[in-house]
Amino acid sequence: FRKICRNCKCGQEEHDVLTSNEEDRKVGKLFEDTKYTTLIAKLKNDGIPMYKRNVMILTNPVPAKKNISINTVTYEWAPPVQNQILARQYMQMLPKEKQPVAGSEGAQYRKKQLAKQLPAHDQDPSKCHELSPNEVKQMEQFVKKYKNEALGVGDVKLPGEVETRATEKNNVNNGDRGTSAAVGVMEDKSPDRKASQYSCYRCKLNMKEGDPAVYAERAGYDKLWHPACFVCCTCSELLVDMIYFWKNGNLYCGRHYCDSEKPRCAGCDELIFSNEYTQAEGQNWHLKHFCCFDCDCVLAGEIYVMVNDKPVCKPCYVKNHAAV
């Protein structure tokens, strides 16, 4: 039931278990039945939704002494914007070690974050271990709810474009009253407008008008983020492919949004939909899953020792962990 390597006991993401094809299926399923269906395509054979990642290939001529060589950079994911210059600027504003250039440390970082932030077992009951029919129903309702109320994908635009969108939205929402509000905004504009008019929602620092900004529709068009500031409020990691969950004025990755809604079992890493579960060592556990990390014997009423935040029964501790 554990989502770990049997030999070294580390998480799946450390071994790069999922292929790109499997990752695209997982994210495709997440976007199914949402407003983000434009980011998926159905396979002809089985109708499985597949995530249409925007892969960006940049070709730059590199001048040499006599001839010109071609330097090609492939990004395994890039924001799906029509203006490639804007997408390129966005990428360059991310920390270099987190830019998903094919074959780089950044590409590996993205893969690990896909596994950590968007676990398949947080959205697909078939990926979970021994759910009862009632638990399956609860999970399906939970997933439907977060798709409707929290899930979103960030968009990359220039700050001025976002303000225009916000004005247009105000016009629609307020009717005639919005017209005068829009005029007020227009009158405030001037050729020498400074960057101080725009500030990042996270770091509060000024944003330059010519630099790309990220906005989240569920947060409202009045909020903008620097590309490197569009992160989960819990783990502070970049939101992989700008997939976010919005709750109470905060951005979350999928994992930590679900953690804020449901207890998560420390044994199997799945969300707990049962009314009965146990709490031990500051963590939550399915009743059957509070067991020895080495031999799987149930620890209820037994003596155990915590090793690297995992419970181990006394015989296994003596055998495998105690100093000789």
Side-chain angles (χ1 to χ4, degrees):
F1 62 84
R2 294 191 178 97
K3 316 292 189 291
I4 58 171
C5 169
R6 287 186 176 274
N7 293 321
C8 64
K9 304 293 181 74
C10 61
Q12 286 180 328
E13 67 274 4
E14 300 301 327
H15 288 287
D16 195 17
V17 171
L18 291 182
T19 64
S20 293
N21 199 42
E22 289 170 325
E23 288 171 345
D24 291 344
R25 289 186 181 214
K26 178 181 74 174
V27 179
K29 185 171 180 61
L30 179 66
F31 289 153
E32 192 176 28
D33 301 321
T34 71
K35 64 171 66 177
Y36 302 104
T37 51
T38 54
L39 296 176
I40 62 175
K42 296 286 182 87
L43 295 181
K44 291 181 180 178
N45 296 337
D46 49 20
I48 293 175
M50 291 283 284
Y51 177 37
K52 295 190 298 184
R53 275 181 299 120
N54 181 41
V55 177
M56 184 169 70
I57 301 175
L58 300 176
T59 303
N60 300 314
V62 180
K65 289 182 179 179
K66 291 185 178 180
N67 55 3
I68 295 178
S69 61
I70 301 298
N71 178 29
T72 301
V73 177
T74 301
Y75 291 97
E76 293 189 352
W77 171 86
V81 294
Q82 291 183 339
N83 185 343
Q84 194 178 54
I85 295 175
L86 195 64
R88 186 176 186 176
Q89 282 180 293
Y90 167 88
M91 288 309 211
Q92 290 173 343
M93 290 179 72
L94 298 179
K96 185 155 184 150
E97 69 276 9
K98 295 182 178 180
Q99 296 176 13
V101 175
S104 72
E105 177 187 353
Q108 284 299 107
Y109 167 79
R110 177 184 170 273
K111 275 183 167 292
K112 287 184 178 182
Q113 291 307 309
L114 266 175
K116 287 181 180 179
Q117 295 185 14
L118 302 171
H121 49 270
D122 277 9
Q123 58 159 313
D124 188 351
S126 69
K127 303 294 184 183
C128 297
H129 182 74
E130 296 182 349
L131 291 182
S132 69
N134 183 48
E135 288 172 321
V136 170
K137 186 176 180 181
Q138 285 188 60
M139 183 174 186
E140 288 173 345
Q141 290 172 341
F142 174 69
V143 172
K144 183 177 180 180
K145 185 173 184 289
Y146 75 54
K147 284 187 177 185
N148 289 335
E149 298 179 4
L151 174 66
V153 180
D155 201 0
V156 176
K157 290 189 179 296
L158 295 173
E161 291 181 299
V162 179
E163 185 180 67
T164 302
R165 182 78 70 89
T167 303
E168 290 171 354
K169 190 171 183 180
N170 283 336
N171 290 347
V172 173
N173 292 341
N174 299 331
D176 293 335
R177 288 180 299 163
T179 306
S180 59
V183 170
V185 172
M186 293 293 288
E187 288 172 350
D188 188 49
K189 289 186 177 181
S190 59
D192 60 344
R193 182 170 187 149
K194 301 298 181 184
S196 59
Q197 302 242 353
Y198 308 103
S199 62
C200 174
Y201 184 71
R202 181 171 187 262
C203 72
K204 310 304 180 188
L205 296 178
N206 294 342
M207 306 186 76
K208 294 180 181 177
E209 201 165 352
D211 283 348
V214 182
Y215 80 90
E217 184 179 10
R218 290 195 186 273
Y221 295 101
D222 58 330
K223 299 177 182 66
L224 297 171
W225 287 262
H226 290 116
C229 289
F230 200 67
V231 299
C232 171
C233 69
T234 300
C235 62
S236 298
E237 294 288 352
L238 283 177
L239 292 165
V240 64
D241 295 10
M242 298 192 298
I243 300 169
Y244 69 87
F245 292 72
W246 181 254
K247 178 182 174 182
N248 297 334
N250 289 307
L251 292 169
Y252 289 85
C253 67
R255 170 178 291 276
H256 291 117
Y257 170 81
C258 290
D259 286 352
S260 75
E261 293 282 316
K262 297 286 182 183
R264 185 182 296 277
C265 177
C268 67
D269 196 49
E270 294 172 17
L271 300 174
I272 300 175
F273 291 95
S274 170
N275 291 328
E276 293 185 349
Y277 62 96
T278 189
Q279 291 182 314
E281 303 296 334
Q283 301 181 89
N284 303 301
W285 312 76
H286 285 112
L287 295 178
K288 292 181 180 179
H289 294 171
F290 187 61
C291 54
C292 175
F293 202 65
D294 288 356
C295 72
D296 288 343
C297 73
V298 178
L299 293 173
E302 301 293 331
I303 296 174
Y304 64 89
V305 179
M306 294 300 289
V307 178
N308 297 324
D309 294 328
K310 305 295 183 184
V312 177
C313 68
K314 187 176 179 181
C316 283
Y317 178 77
V318 172
K319 179 182 176 182
N320 302 326
H321 305 283
V324 179

